[in-house]
Amino acid sequence: MTETKTHSPERRVAAAAIANLRQDLFQNVFDYRPLGPLGTDGPVIRRLPKPLHKGAVWFPHAVVGMVALISLLEGVFAANTYSPFGIATLITAFLPAGTLLMTLVRPVLAFWVSIVSTPVVAIVGDGDWPWQPSAFACHLGVLVVVAARTRPRTAAWMWLITLLVGSFLGNMGPGFSNTAPMAVTSAFALLLVAMVQVRREAQHEVTVQRTVTAVERDRRTLLEERTTIARELHDVVAHHMSVVAIQAEAAPYRVENPPPELEQAFVTIRENAVAALTELRRVLGVVRAEDYEAPDAPQPTLAEIDRLLDNVRETGLETEKTVTGAVRVLPQGVELSAYRIVQEALSNTLRHAPGATAKVEIGYVLGGLGVRIVNGPARGLVKPSPGAGHGITGMRERVAMLNGEMTAGATGDGGYEVAVFLPVPAEQERAEAGEGA
């Protein structure tokens, strides 16, 4: 029997902290990670004139280079005050500046080089202990750049290591130690960087959640629209299947002395029609809501477009209808979809373009039906209602169901246009005409 060792909470916390330290500052120390340019869609850069965008994206690199250059000049000047240009100048001036520039390509390595070079620069130089002015500025810059390129947890580790190294060297120094000013200054700088990072991550999370919510909302709207279409198609198909069943039952009585084979054929047709109708109702029950009630009136067709236009005119929307081609009876599914598309397009005009006028064009052409709804720009004092484009989604779903084509977009004068073509095969039109007869 094996014994399970349980560790104290303090030991688990310490182990986790050591693991985090190893991951942040000891793993992949020599990784080559060049700092890329900023994005042009940032809140500051996108407000600048476009000619300045190419240069503005390199702003962080310019700041790091400028700080390194100023520190280099200050280190050279300070070194030459007590000795001619030589090895001391290279160490006290060029080493801190080069370490700061290293943060642009190898950030974690730059931090360790800055920590290791701190006592070297302090011993070789002749100034503040343990950070001379140039080394002070460069090490602070290293902390800020590395923290901005990693995570807040890494910033906390770097500040703690800096405090430990500074305290150790301060106790060994000849006089006053500037470890306390370094600790306070770097703490404020790293805290500011951490706050910016946390805010950026929170904004990213909000953007991701909004995107996911929008996708889910569009998906739910699409499913609801498909459910509505399924209900409407049920009424259309159920009507046709009922007509087939009734005609199959009545057909033998219209023929004098029909042969048994013919009677049996009509019986089979009627049984198949009734079975198909029963199966259709069963399948529709899966997608139908519990509180859904089937409409008492038949589904609308293009013959009722005038009534629809009269209704929208009463709300203040001026509409004009144009019909071209030879008007004929089309399959009920096509007429229903065309009616719903016109209805939704006019509803969108009322919501998003108050005070505008609308034109409805219906074209009966060879092989199908063309529908075009165009509205002008919004006029008046009423503000347009916000929308997510779900009406357009429903239109596209209806058009795709009938293998049609649809375009929708803004017009040159600020209005909106929806153009749809619904194909109707010739044999389908003949079948519809025969059934109507």
Side-chain angles (χ1 to χ4, degrees), residues 225-283:
E225 188 64 31
R226 288 180 177 178
T227 302
T228 302
I229 294 173
R231 295 168 183 167
E232 294 178 348
L233 283 181
H234 164 264
D235 298 330
V236 174
V237 177
H239 167 73
H240 290 290
M241 296 304 295
S242 300
V243 171
V244 171
I246 293 172
Q247 289 182 346
E249 185 175 8
Y253 298 101
R254 297 184 180 183
V255 180
E256 186 176 355
N257 299 324
E261 294 82 359
L262 182 60
E263 291 183 353
Q264 183 60 39
F266 281 120
V267 170
T268 303
I269 292 174
R270 182 180 182 279
E271 290 177 351
N272 289 335
V274 173
L277 192 58
T278 303
E279 185 68 17
L280 177 64
R281 288 170 178 165
R282 184 188 67 80
V283 173

Side-chain angles (χ1 to χ4, degrees), residues 182-237:
M182 170 62 76
V184 174
T185 307
S186 60
F188 278 107
L190 294 178
L191 181 60
L192 180 62
V193 173
M195 291 175 60
V196 172
Q197 285 183 318
V198 170
R199 182 174 180 272
R200 186 186 300 119
E201 291 178 0
Q203 289 179 339
H204 177 70
E205 288 295 329
V206 170
T207 303
V208 171
Q209 290 299 324
R210 286 178 178 175
T211 303
V212 172
T213 302
V215 171
E216 291 297 328
R217 183 171 58 247
D218 292 342
R219 184 179 302 172
R220 183 173 62 252
T221 302
L222 185 60
L223 292 177
E224 291 174 354
E225 188 64 31
R226 288 180 177 178
T227 302
T228 302
I229 294 173
R231 295 168 183 167
E232 294 178 348
L233 283 181
H234 164 264
D235 298 330
V236 174
V237 177

Side-chain angles (χ1 to χ4, degrees), residues 3 16-17 62 94 106 142 151 171 177 188 199 269 293 303 314 316 333-334 357-358 360 367 391 414 422:
E3 266 185 43
F94 286 86
R106 302 184 191 275
V142 168
R151 64 179 74 178
N171 294 330
S177 171
F188 278 107
R199 182 174 180 272
I269 292 174
E293 295 181 0
E314 292 179 358
V334 174
T357 60
V360 178
L422 304 177

Side-chain angles (χ1 to χ4, degrees), residues 57-72:
V57 297
W58 300 103
F59 179 74
H61 305 73
V63 172
V64 173
M66 183 63 66
V67 174
L69 178 60
I70 295 174
S71 300
L72 174 65

Side-chain angles (χ1 to χ4, degrees), residues 356-357 359 372 374-379 409-417:
T357 60
K359 296 181 180 179
R372 182 172 176 264
V374 183
N375 64 265
R379 293 187 176 89
T411 58
D413 60 352
Y416 202 82
E417 175 184 0

